Amino acid sequence: QVQLVESGGGLVQAGGSLRLSCSASGRTFSRYTMGWFRQPPGKEREFVAAISWRGVDIYNADSVKGRFTISRDNAKSTVYLQMNSLKPEDTAVYYCAADLQIASMTRRAEYDYWGQGTQVTVSS
């Protein structure tokens, strides 16, 4: 089992940057696949990025490709999402998620553990 806490959200202008962090506690963090999802106002939660436990496999949603970078530091039990060139369309609550055994890293239903979320607002 693992507990997740996101941080780093806030209000930024279009074109700016934010770095989100997701700190994990519990056992076996280094073996977990980690993902980032987001939920814009009035919309369903959607996939953003994911990274395997060894960091070899990385997936990014088309909407953020080239702008967002997911990374992890297993020694610190933390996963990051560096967000550059932010757009108003990126406004959402961002959630981190984790699971030990996962078949599809981009599907929300594959993840059993979720954080509370952190708000990101991008103004024009």
Side-chain angles (χ1 to χ4, degrees), residues 11-68:
L11 174 64
V12 298
Q13 290 187 321
S17 298
L18 282 175
R19 185 177 179 86
L20 305 184
S21 299
C22 176
S23 298
S25 61
R27 285 179 154 81
T28 327
F29 172 80
S30 63
R31 294 280 177 159
Y32 279 76
T33 294
M34 302 293 300
W36 285 99
F37 293 77
R38 67 185 183 186
Q39 188 165 10
K43 298 181 180 180
E44 294 183 352
R45 196 171 300 183
E46 65 183 20
F47 171 77
V48 176
I51 185 169
S52 65
W53 69 274
R54 282 173 286 199
V56 175
D57 299 308
I58 296 175
Y59 296 92
N60 297 291
D62 289 341
S63 60
V64 306
K65 198 169 297 181
R67 300 188 298 120
F68 292 9

